[in-house]
Amino acid sequence: MHTFTKVFFYMDEDISTKYPLPEGFSATVEGNTLRINGSGKENSKKFNSREMTVNVEGGEIIVTPKENRKKSHSMVNAFIAHVKNMCNGLANGFEYKLEIVYSHFPMTVAVKGKQVEISNVAGSKKMRIARIFGDTVVQVKGKEVSVKGSNKEDTGQTAANIEQVTRIKGKDSRVFQDGIYITEKAGKKVE
C-alpha cells in the first residue's frame, strides 16, 4: 500500500505583483474596492479580499496573494489585467461599432436615458430594450451604432445587450438576418 504525503514549498521571497500607474494617474483602496483616477475620469473594481490584498504605495499598485498557491497567483494576474484595462480605458477609452442590418422592415433605434429602444425588428410590433451600463455612451448615426466608454466591461456588456436583444429566435438565421451586429470590438475588427 502506497502512502502519499503532501509537500509544501515555502518561499521566503516576495510574491507580490507590482503595477506602476501611468503618469498623472492616482489610485485609492477603500475596503475591497480599487479606484483609479486619471484624465478627469474614474474607474473602480471590486476584488476578492479573501484571496489577495491590494495596496497603493508611491504610484504603484501592489497585489499580494494571501496564500502561495496556483489559484491565488492566477487571481492576482487576472486582477492586474483588469487594472491595465482600467488605466487603458481612462487614457484612451474603448469603442465598439455595431451595424444595423435589415432586408424589408427598417428598424428604428433610439437612445433614451440609460436604454436603447429598438422597434420593428423583422416587422415585429414589440419594442425591444437594451440596457446601457455605467457611463457608456451610445450614438446612432444612420445604420451605424457606436458604443464608447472608459470601462471595458460596461462598454462590452452594453454592445452585447444591443446585439442579443435583436436576435431572432425560432427562425432560420440564414434567411432572417435582420438584427444589430458587432462589427468592431475595442481595437479589433470582427470578421
Side-chain angles (χ1 to χ4, degrees):
M1 181 176 198
H2 295 293
T3 59
F4 294 98
T5 57
K6 291 184 178 180
V7 179
F8 295 98
F9 294 100
Y10 296 100
M11 298 168 52
D12 293 333
E13 62 192 59
D14 187 22
I15 57 173
S16 60
T17 304
K18 298 178 182 178
Y19 178 74
L21 288 169
E23 194 171 313
F25 283 68
S26 64
T28 58
V29 177
E30 298 167 5
N32 64 341
T33 303
L34 173 70
R35 296 186 190 287
I36 299 178
N37 295 309
S39 303
K41 299 177 240 169
E42 178 181 279
N43 268 342
S44 64
K45 178 79 179 163
K46 287 190 175 186
F47 58 90
N48 188 343
S49 58
R50 289 179 287 164
E51 293 287 336
M52 65 184 111
T53 59
V54 178
N55 295 314
V56 179
E57 293 177 14
E60 282 186 329
I61 297 173
I62 302 167
V63 185
T64 308
K66 289 193 175 174
E67 296 180 15
N68 193 8
R69 298 181 322 157
K70 188 175 183 178
K71 178 183 175 187
S72 299
H73 287 285
S74 297
M75 290 186 77
V76 167
N77 291 336
F79 187 74
I80 290 293
H82 283 292
V83 170
K84 289 177 184 177
N85 283 337
M86 290 166 67
C87 292
N88 187 22
L90 292 173
N92 305 319
F94 295 102
E95 181 176 9
Y96 286 75
K97 292 184 179 176
L98 296 93
E99 187 174 342
I100 302 169
V101 178
Y102 56 84
S103 56
H104 296 335
F105 304 102
M107 278 187 247
T108 306
V109 181
V111 179
K112 294 191 179 172
K114 295 297 280 178
Q115 59 189 18
V116 179
E117 294 180 352
I118 306 157
S119 60
N120 206 24
V121 177
S124 173
K125 304 263 187 241
K126 180 182 172 191
M127 171 88 62
R128 299 180 187 211
I129 297 172
R131 184 173 159 210
I132 299 174
F133 284 87
D135 295 330
T136 306
V137 177
V138 179
Q139 296 174 333
V140 181
K141 292 181 183 172
K143 284 189 164 187
E144 292 192 4
V145 179
S146 173
V147 180
K148 296 179 185 177
S150 61
N151 188 322
K152 187 174 187 177
E153 294 166 6
D154 290 346
T155 309
Q157 187 61 55
T158 301
N161 285 350
I162 295 169
E163 186 177 53
Q164 286 291 323
V165 80
T166 60
R167 182 161 284 167
I168 299 172
K169 298 174 185 165
K171 299 200 186 239
D172 190 354
S173 62
R174 295 171 295 178
V175 177
F176 296 92
Q177 296 181 352
D178 293 15
I180 301 175
Y181 300 101
I182 296 174
T183 56
E184 197 171 319
K185 292 187 178 181
K188 297 178 186 173
K189 189 157 184 133
V190 179
E191 293 185 25

